[in-house]
């Protein structure tokens, strides 16, 4: 029961946060599918239709992401190399599901103001993330991202993020809040909460471009002074993170 109440609170918070990403001239409900079948067709146009043999969307990962967890600290640089596969969307029950599967090698550095780097951590990571999209109420599409498998056993089964879906003419967006572990200059990790915009766009009917904008925050306090896993928007931590990936062309 406590987990169910927490999940509902997280979804409500995500729906509120989603409005932060929209400019006044945009409508969340523009061009919105009204049924699961319509939504699946829209997703098939981006991620491909399930078939035998399967043809997934593949991304080669070559990212370098810089953050500064605390003002005045050294910059933390995360260098990822590997691959990600997104499966084709399918209907499961009253939701649409697709999986994001990633295998990567990660090097974490501290970078001093003069640009010198010191390696603090090496990681081999693999995970499978279940993206579940549901028509929760008329014109309100929700998304939940659950970790199905992970190289860290404690993460398996956890909900990584939840939020709302915005439908675009050439793609879709996830407006999310979630939890993660952030790398610190001393080589340790620290639990953090974040807001995130994930945008999936189809290019030339052959490639998928994923654009990510993320901001991490300190956790908020409830009126009863309890720590809750939602962002305190007055206390951002580190720099805003931005990166994008472009898939290999689909045949």
């Amino acid at each position: 029961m406590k987990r169910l109440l927490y999940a509902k609170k997280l979804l409500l918070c995500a729906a509120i946060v989603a409005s932060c990403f929209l400019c006044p001239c945009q409508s969340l409900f523009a061009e919105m599918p009204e049924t699961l079948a319509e939504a699946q067709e829209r997703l098939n146009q981006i991620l491909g239709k399930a078939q035998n043999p399967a043809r997934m969307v593949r991304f080669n990962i070559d990212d370098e992401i810089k953050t500064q967890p605390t003002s005045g600290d050294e910059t933390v640089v995360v260098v990822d190399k590997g691959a990600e596969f997104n499966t084709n969307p399918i209907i499961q029950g009253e939701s649409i599901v697709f999986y994001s599967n990633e295998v990567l090698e990660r090097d974490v550095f501290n970078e001093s103001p003069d640009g010198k780097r010191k390696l603090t951590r090496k990681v081999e990571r693999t995970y499978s993330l279940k993206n579940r999209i549901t028509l929760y109420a008329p014109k309100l599409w929700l998304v939940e991202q659950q970790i199905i498998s992970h190289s860290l056993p404690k993460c398996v089964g956890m909900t990584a993020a939840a939020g709302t879906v915005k439908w675009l003419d050439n793609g879709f967006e996830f407006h999310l809040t979630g939890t993660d572990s952030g790398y610190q200059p001393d080589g340790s990790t620290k639990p953090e909460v974040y807001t995130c915009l994930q945008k999936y766009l189809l290019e030339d009917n052959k490639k998928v471009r994923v654009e990510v904008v993320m901001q991490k925050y300190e956790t908020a306090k409830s009126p009863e002074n309890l720590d809750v896993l939602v962002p305190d928007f007055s206390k951002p931590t580190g720099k805003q993170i931005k990166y994008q990936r472009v898939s290999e062309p689909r045949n």
Side-chain angles (χ1 to χ4, degrees):
M1 181 61 70
K2 290 183 178 179
R3 291 185 177 178
L4 179 60
L5 291 174
Y6 167 71
K8 290 182 178 179
K9 289 180 180 178
L10 184 60
L11 290 173
L12 178 60
C13 175
I16 295 172
V17 169
S19 63
C20 298
F21 293 104
L22 301 176
C23 77
C25 61
Q26 293 175 322
S27 169
L28 182 64
F29 306 134
E31 303 279 338
M32 179 174 289
E34 297 182 353
T35 66
L36 278 183
E38 292 176 1
Q40 184 188 27
E41 180 59 30
R42 293 280 291 274
L43 292 169
N44 285 346
Q45 294 174 12
I46 312 301
L47 300 177
K49 187 175 182 179
Q51 57 184 318
N52 188 9
R55 303 196 64 83
M56 295 182 288
V57 177
R58 175 191 171 102
F59 298 86
N60 292 315
I61 299 174
D62 189 4
D63 301 332
E64 183 172 303
I65 300 170
K66 294 187 177 184
T67 66
Q68 190 173 14
T70 305
S71 178
D73 280 342
E74 291 183 308
T75 298
V76 175
V77 184
V78 179
V79 178
D80 289 338
K81 296 185 182 297
E84 177 183 347
F85 297 86
N86 284 339
T87 65
N88 312 124
I90 60 173
I91 293 179
Q92 289 186 355
E94 296 186 7
S95 301
I96 305 170
V97 169
F98 71 92
Y99 294 84
S100 301
N101 305 291
E102 183 177 286
V103 179
L104 62 80
E105 295 183 354
R106 168 176 291 169
D107 291 336
V108 183
F109 300 89
N110 282 356
E111 185 175 87
S112 60
D114 61 2
K116 293 182 179 179
R117 293 184 176 181
K118 177 183 177 181
L119 182 67
T120 61
R121 183 181 289 249
K122 291 184 71 70
V123 178
E124 291 184 349
R125 193 183 82 171
T126 178
Y127 78 86
S128 179
L129 193 71
K130 180 180 180 180
N131 301 275
R132 185 169 66 94
I133 299 171
T134 306
L135 182 58
Y136 189 75
K139 298 185 177 180
L140 177 59
W141 290 89
L142 299 183
V143 57
E144 179 187 19
Q145 296 183 330
Q146 182 185 22
I147 301 172
I148 302 302
S149 66
H150 200 287
S151 47
L152 292 176
K154 67 180 180 181
C155 296
V156 176
M158 295 179 63
T159 296
T164 58
V165 184
K166 180 183 178 183
W167 302 94
L168 308 174
D169 288 342
N170 62 333
F172 58 95
E173 295 177 353
F174 292 159
H175 299 179
L176 303 164
T177 59
T179 58
D180 198 1
S181 294
Y183 295 107
Q184 306 301 304
D186 64 2
S188 65
T189 61
K190 177 183 177 182
E192 294 175 318
V193 292
Y194 63 85
T195 59
C196 183
L197 170 63
Q198 292 181 2
K199 182 183 293 187
Y200 292 73
L201 300 171
L202 183 62
E203 294 185 342
D204 301 325
N205 203 33
K206 293 182 179 180
K207 298 179 181 179
V208 178
R209 185 171 80 249
V210 177
E211 299 175 355
V212 176
V213 180
M214 176 186 292
Q215 178 64 59
K216 296 184 178 182
Y217 297 87
E218 296 288 343
T219 55
K221 293 283 189 180
S222 73
E224 295 79 21
N225 201 37
L226 302 175
D227 289 315
V228 289
L229 292 179
V230 294
D232 183 339
F233 295 118
S234 68
K235 297 179 180 179
T237 62
K239 301 176 182 179
Q240 188 182 70
I241 297 171
K242 294 183 179 181
Y243 65 92
Q244 67 176 9
R245 295 172 180 170
V246 179
S247 74
E248 295 182 348
R250 291 198 320 229
N251 292 335

